[in-house]
Amino acid sequence: MSLRRAALVALAGLGLAGLARADDGAPSVSADPAAPQAAPPPVTLEHAGPPAREPRHEIHPATPLLDAQGEPVLRSGRPVSFMRSCAGCHDTAFIAAHNYHAQAGLDELAEPGRTESGRPWDTGPGLFGRWDPLTYRALTPPGAASLDLGTAEWIQRLGARHVGGGPAERSRIDGQLLDARGPRGAWDPDSHVLDPASGEPRAWDWKASGTVELNCMLCHAAAPDNAARIQALQQGRFAWASTATLLGTGLVARDEAGFRYLAAAFEPDGSVRAERLGLGRARSASCRQCHGRACRCSDPVVFENSLQNWSAETGGAIYSPARARLSGMNLAGKDGLDMPWDVHAERLLECSDCHHAPNNPAFDLKRAGPERPLLHLAFDARRTSVEDYLWRPDHELVKGHTSQGTAARRLDGSMRDCRDCHDAQAVHDFLPFKRTHFERLACEACHLPRLLAPARMSTDWTLLGPDRQPRVSHRGVEGPVNDPASLVTGFEPALLPHRTQAGSLRLAPHNLTSAWFWVQGEPPAPVRLLDLERALFSPEGYHPAVTAALDADGDGQLREAELRLDTPAEVAAVAARLEAVGVRAPRIQAELQPYTLGHGVPPARWALRDCTACHAPGGRVTRAFALADHAPGGVLPRVVGDTRTELAGRISAGADGRVTYQAAARPGGAYVHGAQGLTWLDVLGLLLVVGTGVGVMVHGGLRILVQRRRGRAGR
Amino acid sequence: MGSANASSPGLVRFYTLYERLWHWLQALSAVALLLTGFAIAFPAAFAPLGFASAVAVHHAAAWVLLVNAGLALFYNLASGLIRRYVPSVKDIFPLGMHHARYYVLGIFRGEPHPFERTPEKRLLPLQKVTYFLILNVLLPLMALTGLLKLGADSQPELLGWFGGMPVVAVLHRLGAWLFAAFLILHVYMTTTGSTWWANLRTMLTGYGQAECREEEPK
Amino acid sequence: MSARRAGWAAAVLALALVGALAWTLVPARAEADRPREHLRPRLTPTDHSGLFEGKRFADGPAVTRACLECHPRAAEELMQTSHWLWLGDPEVVPGHQEPVRIGKRNLINNFCISIEGNWPRCTICHAGYGWRDASFDFSRAELVDCLVCHDRSGTYSKGASGLPAEGVDLLAAARSVGRPGRDNCGACHFSGGGGDAVKHGDLDGSLARPVERVDVHMGREDFACTECHRTEHHRIRGRMISVSATDTNQFGCTACHAARPHASTRLNDHLSAVACQTCHLPEVARSLPTKVVWDWSTAGADVPQADPHHYMKIKGSFVYQTGLVPEYGWFNGDVARYLKGDPIDPTAVVHINKPQGDIHDPRALIWPFKIHRGKQPYDVEHRVLLVPKTVGQDGYWTTFDWGQALALGAQAAGLPFSGKFAFAETDMHWNLNHMVAPKGRSLQCTDCHTEGGRMDWRALGYPGDPARMGGRVMRRLVAGPQGVEP
């Protein structure tokens, strides 16, 4: 019987289910041939397919699922708490405290305007406190005169990309649990949210919503239900977010009343087997949920540019082992793209192979400085023991030093970067002046010559579209982004001087993303989205004053092409509307955020090898880089203050309104042979050479003339 | 040296085999340096050569030119022939002036060459002055800046002492333009011998017509 | 120092420098993969269309006699080969002591099982005329069928006992002769097992006019079979593990391709454990379904309108697959061939041609296989696989009487038959070589080196994924390529 079942399983595995016979009759000679059968007899083999594989060995023990009070959830029915459930073996408090993904900048908060970004309205470098023009809404600091984004609404809107804990659990003001403290005045942003109907602050009921604790399963379960988690956050059911994550495991069901636990899926003692949760190290698919398409996705890869696909949207990078040639996207020159989207993904690297936990004994931690205290010791055999690591895995994951990774700058450059694994000296024999090239260039400068996916070029919040979304543009696509008919061309990144951890400047590939928006007051702060919508729209559509100012063809409608602020009159009209809804001194500001690129690296044979790509006038190092199709209000963007990238060149708007960045002649102090083109010296030299040439020609010509004349005279 | 060739009476040996070899090798590497240097400076204008191969050939030709110059120095020192290259004040004034006047006027009037040219006195006054400048100013300048650029990878501090790549590269480029101008002039000057091709032939075969204004007993 | 001596010294040194620099500027020519250099030129065959003036060929042997007038040694050559004899050279089959000659003539498989007793049907594919029974005379040169391989008109075909089919214009066929094309070889080799694509999985009618996606050699480069299966004196290079047991007369990809053909060292390092075919044949039966299961035990039932891919009354139940993903195992070139009369264990799967070699065998590589699984009759008492007589008036396909068919078959094959029979499960390995995919479609790292990837590492003998746990050389499970343990 069991053999038969195994055979059935094997058949099902082959996709042959349904061919197997269910009865147990002896399968020898067929029945009476005279009697016709309706269905053909199926095969009777017990080994009709490849032998079954040995199941994977599961090392993690069964886990009790407890609520915040430490009671089994099966008994209490309350939201599951992983901080409590996992604490039996792991120091969850330590994990939450040493975890910049959870803290999201809560531990780095500063007074408004005192942050490195230079924005007067920023209160920190992380997701909680640093304004991002891609998501727009600004977190209101304590004591502000008006409320925009309170903590509870921050969770609802930005919690989708936050793993829980940190600011979603404790007040930034007094460090108390958010659901344990009462309202502190009408403008307290930790206890109030903006009521979109009235435009007034409204107290948030933390008791009803609960808080969002660190969600271990979002990264350590095999198939977390992130959509359900995000939905719970948006609905304000914060405490249930962790429970919602388990929806796909069969442990939890959701109905109108809320979440129910399904006792049948639990072990008799109320615990849950590790296999059911798929517990393990964080996989690339885990990271992908917030960072974009960082996946083991197989062919054909299809993607969309959106803020849900963060790494592609901001940098055009797709971390996938699949072949670009077999992609489902409308890629330019696809037939020739016989390459993976990322060579490291192809070569089996998970995100955590480079971005590992600092005390993971499987990896060597890089030293912060160049000094090596014990010169004779190449390898320290005294490692963190596996037991210690599993008890207190440090979640301050090692990171790179990108311009956009502003949170936890203390860890910048701690990750395993290219040169920690690759010996560049050993393989670049074709390259003259190796050392100079390696000193002046980041590896990615040549090894990331082109990003295959489109990326955000500009975001214009000065006007909203009919869908109340900003006007955005992308580079690397011909036609509207995400339209299947558009040709995805990808883009060549801008090579910009980028400050390394050691302090030197190296040219590294970047995407430059600009944003235009209204600010108000002094010190300035972005105009609240609520006010902007009130100013631009009436219940019927665009406000008549806005329509009148922008309607170039006078048809009473605002078409796509008319949705731009070019002339001072247009700017003044919208500014007047903003003032009419109570905005003080509205004016347009623009900023430029460089995104340092490091993912989506192709195999080495696709790396830049053509010297003249840089060593020529108009080469990659010195050429202009498009920033936007037009500058709303004629305002040119300024680079954000907390970048590691130096834009030493000039940002300017051309006659057609296009905004470009023109690199300096010698960016980062690098003298690029051949990139200068014709200099005054060459003009002088050319004159000298041409002059000499002309001189000898005249002289020679005269000699010939004289010779001829004399020849005739002689005759 | 300078013995008459038995087979062609009137012809005198100006250059030994080595001197010709040296000259043409130097000419070859100098032209190669100019062309590849041009290709490196203006890669778009000189695409067919390819930037990478231009760099490789430039480096190789530089070594040839430099070592060849060094060997010639050794040859001229060891044989004592170096004296021929040292100009005296006389070579500038008045001889140089005579010489220049010949190119400006005399050559058109069909005047005979103002200076005799023998194997022992093979360099004319202005030639002496020019070569002296080339060998003592331009060549060392190009060699020094070139070597500094070549050593940018291994000896970046050295490059720094001389003002870094921007200064060194500009000097090297300036020298290149000057040398290009010299080369044009040099090639043209070969045509000012007894016939248009006489000097070129002499440098190829080693033998040439001695131009003696008066018999000078040795 | 004299000027002459100084000049010589300087000249020698200058020339030495030039020589040395020129040497460094010449790029080193790397060992590269240049398969086209190994191809033979494609010759234009002699035009035979003007020959045979006024002749009429009454039968096949008449054509052969005409061929032999100009090609006197051709038949003699062919008659030494397995295409005529249906036997190979004597070889010691693993598990047996004495050298024997094995081949289609005397072997059992798990498709139509055996030709013995069933000659007229099976010998349709014999390169000869009239093999009706065991008494066929293999020494008669005029019985060699030249046309089946050399007809280029596309009109020639064979019927029962290998005789030309009804209505074939032998003169037209004879006048068309030339070098064998894919369709000549395919006439038999595409249709093994009783129909197109049934047997091999990597050989089927889609290769007659293939596209690049199906086979890069035949599709993109328009290879004829004989461009790889090089033929000298009618002896064709290559062998198949269904009809031969040891690694002789074999050739591989490296006959044309470099031994380490990849730009990537890591890929080349795979070659000490992985056959080229493993990565370059991501799947076979790309466009036509191939048979993977044949269950004789259900034959004999009347099922109106049964899909012949699922059931045939004369043959039993089948499973076919398109886009077959191979199974992988170690293989050193030899197989333990089941020979007629070998005892079986009916409680286990009987391996008809088990590939030899394992992780410890330095000759063995991981190969892709199509495994054809079957259920076929055996003698319950003597415990040997039986041979049914299926063809003919007294054959199973007419009478549907297993007892009679097996008795007649046993008689023809010289097997004992107790009268008691049942059906044993068997499997047969088909190592895959054809349908090489364009390189952009070959397997990638993640196809094998991931959880749930193609390789069952434990079954192959590895402690785990060798990308993480180390390969067999590194783990010292086998001596290194040069016999050195790294």
Coordinates of all heavy atoms in Angstrom, one line a residue, chain A residues 163 224 279:
Chain A
V163 N 10.2 46.7 8.9 CA 10.1 45.3 9.4 C 9.4 45.3 10.8 O 9.1 44.3 11.3 CB 11.4 44.6 9.4 CG1 12.3 45.2 10.5 CG2 11.3 43.1 9.6
P224 N 6.4 34.2 3.6 CA 5.5 35.1 4.4 C 4.5 35.8 3.6 O 4.7 36.0 2.4 CB 6.5 36.1 5.0 CG 7.6 36.2 4.0 CD 7.7 34.7 3.5
L279 N 11.5 27.9 8.4 CA 12.4 28.8 9.1 C 13.8 28.6 8.5 O 14.2 27.5 8.1 CB 12.5 28.4 10.5 CG 11.2 28.8 11.3 CD1 11.3 28.4 12.8 CD2 11.0 30.3 11.2

